[in-house]
Amino acid sequence: MTSNDPRSGIRQIDAPGLAPGPGYSHVISVDVPGRLVVVSGQIALDAAGNLVGPGDLEAQTRQVFTNLEAALTAAGARWEHVVRLGYFLRDAGGVGVVRAVRAEFVPEGVSPAAALIEVSRLVRDDLLIEIEALAVVPAT
């Protein structure tokens, strides 16, 4: 079964036998020509390179989504074009915090494919989260 998605040519597909994911889709189909935008893992550094929210997952996650949005905008993409998010967390138990902050940025109804991986360490010991994104901007 396929869900209609307001994003042109990007569709969320409901796969029979898979439970719905909270805030993500199991399958995304891109059916139109477009431009692929790959955003490297973003961490909780501000524009000056300073850590935002030492020890605070919510503050770090908000900065990471701010950075993702800046990267997408620079590439001419919007959240509606994001087809996959990869989450790397020092403690996967914080997923509820991440979902709440994600809802502040990602419009309702936009549910990219996703993976959440708990890691023992990120590039710096004071980082709690890193998120990468993949977007497809439909050709105009």
Side-chain angles (χ1 to χ4, degrees), residues 32-74:
V32 295
R35 185 169 44 83
L36 182 65
V37 176
V38 181
V39 181
S40 292
Q42 295 298 302
I43 55 177
L45 299 182
D46 65 16
N50 299 309
L51 176 67
V52 173
D56 182 342
L57 179 60
E58 182 176 352
Q60 287 196 20
T61 302
R62 190 167 284 108
Q63 182 63 46
V64 168
F65 273 101
T66 298
N67 293 349
L68 286 167
E69 191 164 87
L72 290 167
T73 300

Side-chain angles (χ1 to χ4, degrees), residues 1 24 38 44 46 48 51-52 61 83 87 92 130 134:
M1 174 180 240
Y24 70 92
V38 181
D46 65 16
L51 176 67
V52 173
T61 302
V83 296
Y87 300 86
E130 181 171 340
L134 182 65

Side-chain angles (χ1 to χ4, degrees), residues 8 10 30 32-37 77-78 80-83 134-139:
S8 174
I10 300 172
V30 179
V32 295
R35 185 169 44 83
L36 182 65
V37 176
R78 297 186 316 269
E80 291 83 355
H81 301 133
V82 175
V83 296
L134 182 65
V136 177
V137 179

